[in-house]
Amino acid sequence: MKRRSFIQKSALTTGAITLGSAYGYASSVNSVAKHSFNLKYAPHFGMFAGHADSLEDQLRFMADEGFAALEDNNMRKRDVATQEKLAKTMQRLGIDMGVFVAHEISWKKPSLASGDLAIREKFLAEIKSSVEVAKRVNAKWMTVVPGHVDLRLSMGYQTANVIESLKQAAAIIEPHGITMVLEPLNFRDHPGLFLTESPQAFEICKAVASPSCKILFDIYHQQIQEGNLIPNMEASWDEIAYIQIGDNPGRKEPTTGEINYKNVFKFIHEKKFAGILGMEHGNSKPNKEGERAVIDAYKQVDLFL
């Protein structure tokens, strides 16, 4: 499943938030003890839509199941009133906001790698507007993807162009205590993108040299792109600020593919990671049964202590 698919599917829930009705999800928080996870896993809207209809009800369901964070790629596209309502609901439920996509991603044409000043200015303008979104929803991180390669330029020039754009973006967001997290994406789902591997992201973050420019390590993408997950996370750990999850093949919940998530999560926990792990994957089974399977899978792989 491609990253674009998540953004497109999430767009179906973009817009004004609807209030839960008397026939919607009924919180069981007063009668059933919440599960306590060892790490801060973040579902996304739509993952538990069979159990709860409105966005607010979905947040309540997540909280009742023990999840303490939300990931919403399309938060930037939601109207201000919806952003404010979601922020208030999350604050009331004790749910932290994870990443949202901070800018329009160029999937097919060269963008930041090209060094085109008009493209750079558009990117920086989107970063500025995303700062306001982040402040509105109490987000600390936002996703940046440098876009497609420019085959007319050598990789060295492309890298220099990307670094310069990110330095200027970091100068915008650093005063606000917000971090843009660079996400390497795999060659199979997203052929032709500039940023693909964790060592490359590590090098760029070191060159930008800002606390507001770090790595989003997506375990699904890096299993496909480079494998050797735990050693690569160890090598780039100082620059990792955010993590995303998905098993391979299929990009579904842990336990459905080849990745030993119990060991990976054990490593992350032992590194004393206090950030968010976004559940950026689909459900392996449909309807409520599939949603419950996702929750059970996380309970299973979270038993690493």
Side-chain angles (χ1 to χ4, degrees):
M1 185 179 293
K2 296 183 179 180
R3 180 181 185 85
R4 291 193 295 273
S5 299
F6 282 106
I7 297 175
Q8 291 164 356
K9 288 182 179 180
S10 296
L12 296 176
T13 57
T14 301
I17 189 169
T18 58
L19 298 176
S21 71
Y23 302 99
Y25 170 70
S27 175
S28 60
V29 67
N30 293 326
S31 58
V32 180
K34 289 185 181 181
H35 181 79
S36 179
F37 290 102
N38 291 304
L39 294 169
K40 191 175 289 186
Y41 308 112
H44 54 80
F45 289 126
M47 180 167 273
F48 303 126
H51 283 84
D53 292 329
S54 73
L55 301 186
E56 284 189 313
D57 279 350
Q58 289 181 51
L59 285 170
R60 281 190 280 269
F61 179 81
M62 293 174 193
D64 283 357
E65 293 297 327
F67 295 106
L70 168 78
E71 187 169 278
D72 183 24
N73 282 332
N74 277 289
M75 184 63 80
R76 183 174 71 95
K77 298 180 180 180
R78 300 188 188 278
D79 60 77
V80 172
T82 298
Q83 293 170 358
E84 291 175 344
K85 286 183 178 179
L86 290 173
K88 290 179 181 178
T89 303
M90 286 188 285
Q91 186 175 24
R92 185 168 65 250
L93 295 171
I95 290 179
D96 291 340
M97 180 64 201
V99 292
F100 63 93
V101 178
H103 64 108
E104 182 180 349
I105 299 173
S106 180
W107 300 106
K108 298 294 185 181
K109 297 180 180 180
S111 54
L112 299 187
S114 70
D116 186 299
L117 295 183
I119 293 175
R120 178 179 293 166
E121 288 306 312
K122 178 178 180 293
F123 166 71
L124 295 175
E126 291 171 343
I127 292 297
K128 288 179 182 177
S129 67
S130 287
V131 167
E132 297 308 309
V133 176
K135 290 161 65 175
R136 197 173 295 128
V137 299
N138 301 311
K140 297 179 181 178
W141 308 274
M142 51 191 189
T143 303
V144 168
V145 176
H148 205 271
V149 296
D150 189 337
L151 296 176
R152 301 164 300 176
L153 297 176
S154 72
M155 184 55 73
Y157 292 125
Q158 293 184 66
T159 300
N161 290 335
V162 169
I163 289 170
E164 179 57 32
S165 291
L166 296 176
K167 281 185 175 181
Q168 293 186 32
I172 293 170
I173 65 178
E174 193 171 324
H176 303 283
I178 300 168
T179 301
M180 59 180 169
V181 284
L182 312 181
E183 182 178 11
L185 301 174
N186 78 77
F187 71 95
R188 186 186 70 190
D189 293 343
H190 305 288
L193 291 194
F194 169 81
L195 186 60
T196 58
E197 298 185 351
S198 55
Q200 181 190 13
F202 183 83
E203 178 183 24
I204 290 170
C205 287
K206 289 297 185 185
V208 175
S210 167
S212 287
C213 182
K214 296 293 180 181
I215 298 172
L216 190 170
F217 194 102
D218 188 311
I219 297 169
Y220 164 77
H221 285 300
Q222 294 318 303
Q223 172 68 2
I224 296 169
Q225 183 68 34
E226 59 192 17
N228 204 31
L229 290 170
I230 291 176
N232 278 324
M233 293 183 80
E234 177 71 65
S236 57
W237 188 258
D238 288 349
E239 299 297 330
I240 294 175
Y242 198 96
I243 296 168
Q244 286 180 329
I245 303 161
D247 216 335
N248 180 62
R251 201 175 191 178
K252 306 300 183 185
E253 69 268 18
T255 74
T256 59
E258 66 186 355
I259 301 175
N260 187 336
Y261 264 105
K262 185 176 288 188
N263 277 358
V264 174
F265 288 158
K266 182 175 184 289
F267 164 79
I268 293 170
H269 185 268
E270 288 176 347
K271 298 294 286 187
K272 302 187 185 305
F273 183 73
I276 291 175
L277 297 92
M279 297 159 59
E280 198 188 38
H281 57 75
N283 299 359
S284 64
K285 300 176 183 178
N287 306 321
K288 287 186 177 181
E289 177 189 2
E291 295 172 13
R292 185 56 58 186
V294 169
I295 296 167
D296 291 342
Y298 275 89
K299 289 179 179 179
Q300 178 181 335
V301 295
D302 190 65
L303 292 173
F304 48 75
L305 294 182

